[in-house]
């Protein structure tokens, strides 16, 4: 089992992962600067985006060639991602809201685009024991704790610093979660750097340290619709997952602890398969999730970046390839979207109008000794990287 993303080396705050060629950290206060040649040179601009609880929120727009991403300091939310189809036509392919109020008033129950912490996914009955102490988290997804509790990282205002270098633009977000916040132990210092690459990639580097043993599982909860948000379901999208096993769940979507083979079941995405082909199946796991809402165990060797998933939309030709250092990926088919949320373009989001692919450690790991550990101790550094690469077929 892989635990190597938690290293006990000293704690350099700069990003020095093997294989990283981008020199981030050269940011020199580009906030407010804008390129007059958007589309030619990478650029980053900043604008006020309202406030929450008396804290100002900014929106950053990162542009590199024909690729534009908007990120909010509220929740580290990826608000929009504009990328071309096979004819060069741009569309926003991620689900979200038009303005800050959309996120704050609704409490963003679907976690559109948000950074998730401290613990992405579910912890059974919100309870875990670490070094002999039992911690009780908020039960916000009855009977379990989901995505960090009542006020997770998705609802915090992060400090932001633009970073440039190596032909890329990025935004470094930092949030210090005090000891005991949402009942998790330890002061957790988290830095998440979004980097927009010239070849239509979003790279996310996660970095975290603690002053007391704790559990952490960081991810991003963006939903994708490669035809454009608000244009209908993702049933025709083809999905490929590099996974021969998955973690089956009980009726409350908590893993049983087994790693089951996908072979011969609707969970088998080893070959590209239309999502709508099997998401209405009577297979017990699909029934429990009202469709797909499961963690796949990635087939991988070592702890480096490896392809986890590929999504393609035959109609627009847009593709998304996801690489990660994480051991698992949650494929959630937007099953609980019920038409009550109105998105960036004004349309309501209905069941299956977007899919989330959350790179992660397995759900409820603190209660399963056979899963890769999510424990982070003082002196260790959590490092994790995921890349969303857009393209066309
Ligand atoms: C979970 C879903 C949940 C959704 C909330 C996903 O990560 O797996 O069960 O409904 O987040 O938007």
């Amino acid at each position: 089992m892989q635990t190597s993303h938690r290293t006990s080396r000293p704690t350099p705050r700069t990003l020095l992962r093997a294989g990283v060629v981008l020199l981030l950290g050269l940011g020199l206060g580009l906030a407010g600067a804008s390129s007059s040649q958007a589309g030619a040179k990478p650029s980053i601009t900043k604008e006020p985006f309202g406030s929450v609880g008396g804290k100002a929120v900014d929106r950053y727009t990162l542009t590199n060639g024909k690729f534009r991403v908007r990120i909010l300091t509220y929740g580290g939310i990826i608000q929009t991602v504009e990328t071309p189809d096979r004819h060069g036509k741009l569309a926003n392919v991620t689900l979200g809201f038009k303005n800050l109020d959309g996120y704050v008033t609704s409490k963003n129950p679907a976690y559109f685009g948000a950074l998730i912490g401290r613990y992405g996914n579910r912890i059974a009955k919100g309870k875990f024991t670490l070094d002999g102490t039992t911690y009780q988290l908020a039960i916000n997804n009855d009977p379990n704790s989901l995505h960090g509790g009542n006020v997770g990282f998705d609802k915090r205002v992060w400090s932001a610093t633009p970073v440039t270098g190596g032909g890329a633009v990025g935004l470094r977000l930092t949030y210090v979660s005090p000891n005991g916040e949402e009942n998790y132990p330890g002061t957790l210092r988290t830095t998440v750097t979004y980097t927009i690459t010239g070849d239509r990639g979003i790279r996310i580097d996660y970095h975290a340290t603690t002053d007391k043993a704790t559990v952490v599982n960081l991810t991003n909860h963006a939903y994708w619709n490669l035809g454009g948000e608000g244009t209908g379901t993702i049933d025709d999208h083809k999905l490929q997952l590099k996974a021969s096993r998955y973690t089956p769940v009980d009726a409350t979507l908590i893993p049983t602890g087994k790693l089951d083979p996908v072979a011969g079941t609707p969970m088998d995405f080893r070959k590209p398969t239309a999502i709508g082909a099997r998401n209405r199946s009577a297979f017990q796991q699909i029934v429990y999730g009202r469709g797909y809402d499961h963690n796949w165990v990635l087939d991988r060797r070592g702890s480096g970046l490896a392809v986890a998933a590929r999504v393609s939309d035959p109609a627009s030709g847009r593709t998304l390839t996801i690489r990660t250092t994480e051991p698992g990926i949650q494929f959630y088919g937007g099953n609980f979207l019920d038409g009550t949320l109105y998105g960036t373009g004004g349309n309501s989001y209905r069941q299956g109008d977007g899919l989330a692919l959350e790179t992660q450690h397995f759900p409820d790991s603190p209660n399963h000794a056979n899963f890769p550990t999510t424990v982070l101790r003082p002196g260790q550094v959590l490092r994790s990287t995921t890349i969303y690469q857009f393209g066309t077929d």
Side-chain angles (χ1 to χ4, degrees):
M1 289 298 176
Q2 297 175 49
T3 56
S4 54
H5 82 301
R6 281 145 165 88
T7 53
S8 297
R9 279 178 275 144
T11 61
R13 298 303 304 268
T14 46
L15 296 161
L16 290 172
R17 280 193 70 89
V20 178
V21 289
L22 299 173
L23 286 177
L24 303 179
L26 294 179
L28 295 171
L30 281 179
S34 89
S35 166
S36 55
Q37 313 163 23
K41 273 173 102 182
S43 68
I44 180 164
T45 61
K46 172 188 173 184
E47 63 193 304
F49 203 63
S51 68
V52 55
K55 288 192 181 137
V57 172
D58 293 318
R59 176 167 78 168
Y60 286 85
T61 300
L62 294 84
T63 308
N64 204 339
K66 268 197 115 180
F67 188 61
R68 185 163 67 172
V69 177
R70 291 200 162 104
I71 297 168
L72 312 182
T73 55
Y74 178 72
I77 287 170
I78 300 178
Q79 186 206 12
T80 64
V81 176
E82 291 161 89
T83 191
D85 69 6
R86 64 163 71 89
H87 304 298
K89 191 167 170 251
L90 289 175
N92 170 23
V93 295
T94 197
L95 275 55
F97 295 109
K98 217 177 288 184
N99 50 39
L100 184 63
D101 200 44
Y103 294 94
V104 175
T105 305
S106 69
K107 297 195 175 145
N108 193 13
Y111 299 87
F112 293 140
L115 292 177
I116 307 294
R118 298 185 183 195
Y119 197 97
N121 218 308
R122 292 178 173 78
I123 294 183
K125 303 199 166 54
K127 204 181 268 193
F128 68 95
T129 301
L130 182 58
D131 296 343
T133 304
T134 298
Y135 297 92
Q136 179 63 59
L137 310 170
I139 306 300
N140 60 336
N141 186 253
D142 198 23
N144 303 313
S145 190
L146 177 70
H147 294 334
N150 290 329
V151 187
F153 287 6
D154 58 295
K155 293 178 182 64
R156 305 287 176 185
V157 178
W158 295 60
S159 316
T161 314
V163 288
T164 60
V169 282
L171 188 67
R172 187 168 51 229
L173 298 170
T174 301
Y175 177 67
V176 180
S177 173
N179 178 36
E181 186 176 80
E182 286 292 333
N183 280 355
Y184 288 93
T187 309
L188 191 73
R189 294 178 175 274
T190 303
T191 299
V192 178
T193 307
Y194 288 107
T195 306
I196 308 306
T197 60
D199 57 351
R200 292 181 239 153
I202 304 174
R203 178 183 176 116
I204 312 183
D205 289 288
Y206 302 88
H207 181 283
T209 56
T210 184
D211 61 2
K212 186 176 175 192
T214 190
V215 296
V216 196
N217 195 19
L218 303 174
T219 191
N220 175 284
H221 208 294
Y223 290 66
W224 309 107
N225 184 322
L226 297 179
E229 66 80 33
T231 62
T233 78
I234 43 80
D235 272 2
D236 290 341
H237 283 36
K238 287 190 174 156
L239 173 67
Q240 185 174 19
L241 295 173
K242 300 273 188 189
S244 314
R245 293 174 300 168
Y246 72 107
T247 49
V249 290
D250 66 15
T252 74
L253 303 184
I254 290 292
T256 61
K258 293 203 294 184
L259 309 183
D260 275 0
V262 297
T265 77
M267 313 304 276
D268 190 351
F269 282 95
R270 287 173 298 175
K271 294 201 179 104
T273 308
I275 290 165
R278 299 173 302 186
N279 61 0
R280 292 162 182 81
S281 155
F283 186 65
Q284 184 66 68
Q285 288 295 312
I286 304 276
V287 174
Y288 282 156
R290 298 194 192 175
Y292 293 104
D293 194 356
H294 299 81
N295 170 67
W296 272 257
V297 179
L298 295 170
D299 295 335
R300 54 175 309 148
R301 285 199 203 107
S303 57
L305 275 169
V307 173
R310 188 172 192 272
V311 190
S312 63
D313 170 33
S316 68
R318 290 191 189 87
T319 61
L320 166 61
T321 303
I322 300 179
R323 285 183 290 150
T324 189
T325 57
E326 287 294 314
I329 193 165
Q330 182 88 5
F331 162 37
Y332 167 57
N335 312 326
F336 300 108
L337 297 175
D338 61 3
T340 56
L341 300 174
Y342 289 78
T344 329
N347 291 330
S348 79
Y349 292 141
R350 298 168 63 87
Q351 190 176 42
D353 280 358
L355 77 152
L357 287 163
E358 305 147 56
T359 55
Q360 61 179 7
H361 273 52
F362 306 168
D364 199 30
S365 294
N367 294 308
H368 295 279
N370 60 322
F371 289 178
T373 186
T374 50
V375 174
L376 185 70
R377 295 183 180 280
Q380 294 184 321
V381 182
L382 181 157
R383 285 189 186 80
S384 172
T385 299
T386 292
I387 300 177
Y388 300 97
Q389 182 68 55
F390 295 88
T392 50
D393 271 342

